[in-house]
Amino acid sequence: MRLILLGPPGAGKGVQAKMLSEKYNIPHISTGDMLREEIKGKTDLGERTRKYLQEGKLVPDDLVITMVKNRLQKDDARDGFLFDGYPRTLEQAISLQELLVRANSRSPLHIINLEVDEATVLRRLTTRRVCLQCAAIYNVLTMPSKKEGKCDKCEGSLYQRDDDKEEVIKDRLITYARQTEPLIDYYKKQASDYVFISVNAAKEKEETFGEIITKVI
Ligand code: AMP
């Protein structure tokens, strides 16, 4: 199974990705999580990309593309994967297509487009909390942890991402509209190469998950 989750920030890509990767037993590849790990570890890549994440801007394509190429070479991604937050630009989409053609993979690539209105996105992002240790996602209103401020899975501390502050969210949405939303048409136009699915992601996470798995072939 090879899946790509598309959708604006706050569409629920991370939440759906966790459920889907468990169901299909495929690695969840979140470029955002990978970049945050690099930043936390103060690696060279982390230092070069920190500013972009803080400002809600996209990291330059060459850096992300190299990171993803390296990730796809790991054994666990040989039989399938789920991308969350990648590709985000046309250049990334073209690079991914080339990589997959070269890998000669036969299973269809599913593009799952999560559709959600802006008011829902804003509400979800400003109330989202993430585990510092394992990146599990919570929401203080709709998905609170059992113990306030602590992760149910690993007891790590929950925090609000810098880019989940209202000023940065607006920039992320503009970036999405300019650079990532055009990918919807890009994939729709090549319907013979991809399975393109749109789902309503403004609903409860279980309902959206149910809609996805009935549409995945
Ligand atoms: P996310 O966790 O997917 O919301 O991503 C958080 C941030 O990481 C984004 O706002 C970007 O700064 C950066 N990022 C994640 N994925 C990509 C990507 N595919 N291309 C460029 N920047 C990315």
Side-chain angles (χ1 to χ4, degrees):
M1 192 61 78
R2 301 181 311 152
L3 311 176
I4 288 178
L5 286 173
L6 270 187
K13 296 190 293 295
V15 169
Q16 294 300 327
K18 291 219 163 55
M19 295 198 282
L20 289 164
S21 73
E22 273 167 29
K23 174 166 176 63
Y24 295 117
N25 197 21
I26 47 177
H28 168 198
I29 304 179
S30 156
T31 43
D33 282 350
M34 289 167 79
L35 289 164
R36 280 185 288 277
E37 276 298 306
E38 298 283 342
I39 291 170
K40 207 161 84 180
K42 295 196 162 60
T43 64
D44 180 43
L45 180 61
E47 294 302 313
R48 290 169 74 184
T49 54
R50 180 190 302 272
K51 203 166 111 305
Y52 296 98
L53 275 87
Q54 274 169 354
E55 293 173 2
K57 301 208 171 75
L58 292 188
V59 168
D61 281 329
D62 56 333
L63 297 180
V64 190
I65 287 173
T66 307
M67 185 176 81
V68 165
K69 275 188 185 159
N70 292 338
R71 178 64 185 86
L72 278 182
Q73 270 163 15
K74 293 200 177 153
D75 281 352
D76 66 343
R78 204 180 300 139
D79 298 327
F81 51 76
L82 185 157
F83 274 117
D84 157 10
Y86 189 87
R88 259 175 154 106
T89 64
L90 202 55
E91 196 169 333
Q92 292 175 16
I94 291 168
S95 145
L96 182 62
Q97 191 168 15
E98 283 168 5
L99 267 184
L100 298 178
V101 167
R102 249 183 277 141
N104 206 10
S105 342
R106 287 198 184 83
S107 62
L109 186 62
H110 287 75
I111 316 296
I112 303 167
N113 181 35
L114 301 182
E115 293 184 319
V116 63
D117 57 285
E118 195 169 317
T120 304
V121 158
L122 281 173
R123 195 176 55 246
R124 277 184 189 164
L125 290 179
T126 48
T127 50
R128 173 161 75 177
R129 298 292 180 270
V130 183
C131 174
L132 197 57
Q133 217 158 275
C134 74
I137 300 167
Y138 296 87
N139 186 290
V140 291
L141 298 180
T142 56
M143 272 194 288
S145 59
K146 293 196 186 93
K147 227 192 277 168
E148 201 185 321
K150 290 279 169 216
C151 178
D152 294 346
K153 291 170 193 146
C154 73
E155 285 274 308
S157 300
L158 304 186
Y159 77 109
Q160 181 174 35
R161 280 170 45 175
D162 282 345
D163 59 350
D164 279 347
K165 312 256 159 77
E166 210 158 329
E167 344 46 285
V168 187
I169 292 173
K170 297 219 171 83
D171 287 336
R172 289 165 68 202
L173 290 174
I174 293 171
T175 302
Y176 170 78
R178 283 202 193 127
Q179 291 180 267
T180 309
E181 210 170 18
L183 294 184
I184 296 175
D185 271 347
Y186 168 81
Y187 283 121
K188 274 187 180 166
K189 277 189 192 136
Q190 304 177 73
S192 56
D193 293 333
Y194 301 100
V195 179
F196 188 91
I197 294 167
S198 272
V199 297
N200 177 350
K203 299 184 293 189
E204 292 291 314
K205 62 176 182 174
E206 287 80 10
E207 273 184 81
T208 303
F209 179 66
E211 190 179 337
I212 294 174
I213 59 175
T214 54
K215 288 181 171 174
V216 164
I217 52 170

